[in-house]
Amino acid sequence: MNLDSKNVEKVDKIVASIYIALGLLLIIIFNYQLLEIELIQSLILFFGIWVSLMLYAGYYKRLRSLKVTLVWSVISIVQILIYFIFKDEISLFDKISGTYLNSMFYLPTMLICFHSCNFLNLAIHKDHYIITTGVLDFVGSRNYDQQRRLRATDFVFSFLGAFGTLFLATFLF
């Protein structure tokens, strides 16, 4: 697998297909009430928030490709449409934060945060930033995928991207 490829590759099709299949399964489970509503609410939160953050942390190299980003942008638009279709469903309301479907905004927010941080890093350093997720990552350690050492901006942008996604999606939507 060539991570520098600008095309949609098999791995991208597999990841997107799994994501779409899980989303469709969640809609079917909700429509036919196959599980308790509290569990469905938790699954919606997990799907919206944690899957977006896992994509951010583990799939970020592929998101640098314009075609891959376009695929995930289309999926984001579909999620926003799903939000508007089901937003008035009373069983999805949470007394504190509005609706469990607000988590459908995490994927588009993650894409915006990721590309904003990557754009800033490209402007500053002329290369892509590396998302630091491991405990053993530290400034100056070697990243063998990109053949360079980690910089402080990698940590700053990793933090801004992850927490920017959480805060923006939580407070704006």
Side-chain angles (χ1 to χ4, degrees), residues 12-172:
D12 304 313
K13 293 174 186 174
I14 291 170
V15 171
S17 296
I18 290 170
Y19 189 85
I20 291 167
L22 288 174
L24 290 173
L25 180 63
L26 194 53
I27 290 172
I28 291 168
I29 289 170
F30 172 73
N31 278 336
Y32 293 102
Q33 297 292 308
L34 299 176
L35 298 172
E36 296 291 324
I37 193 63
E38 293 82 14
L39 183 56
I40 294 171
Q41 292 166 342
S42 297
L43 289 172
I44 290 170
L45 286 176
F46 174 81
F47 184 76
I49 298 170
W50 292 109
V51 174
S52 295
L53 290 176
M54 285 187 280
L55 283 171
Y56 175 77
Y59 194 69
Y60 72 94
K61 293 175 193 170
R62 296 300 304 145
L63 290 175
R64 295 174 183 161
S65 164
L66 178 62
K67 290 180 182 178
V68 172
T69 295
L70 288 174
V71 168
W72 286 99
S73 296
V74 169
I75 292 171
S76 294
I77 291 168
V78 170
Q79 283 190 194
I80 292 169
L81 291 173
I82 289 170
Y83 168 82
F84 285 109
I85 290 168
F86 290 105
K87 72 177 181 148
D88 294 326
E89 181 63 44
I90 195 76
S91 61
L92 295 176
F93 276 96
D94 179 22
K95 293 178 183 173
I96 297 172
S97 62
T99 177
Y100 287 95
L101 288 175
N102 286 357
S103 66
M104 293 296 109
F105 288 101
Y106 279 80
L107 180 61
T109 305
M110 181 274 293
L111 290 172
I112 292 167
C113 288
F114 170 77
H115 285 289
S116 298
C117 291
N118 200 39
F119 176 77
L120 287 172
N121 198 71
L122 284 168
I124 296 167
H125 296 291
K126 310 293 186 248
D127 62 5
H128 299 285
Y129 81 107
I130 299 169
I131 294 182
T132 55
T133 57
V135 178
L136 299 176
D137 291 335
F138 54 91
V139 175
S141 66
R142 188 102 177 124
N143 180 284
Y144 293 99
D145 288 340
Q146 294 193 341
Q147 301 300 313
R148 72 166 176 83
R149 297 198 178 279
L150 294 174
R151 296 185 287 252
T153 52
D154 293 323
F155 291 92
V156 170
F157 290 142
S158 294
F159 179 81
L160 286 176
F163 287 100
T165 297
L166 289 173
F167 291 121
L168 288 173
T170 300
F171 294 116
L172 293 179

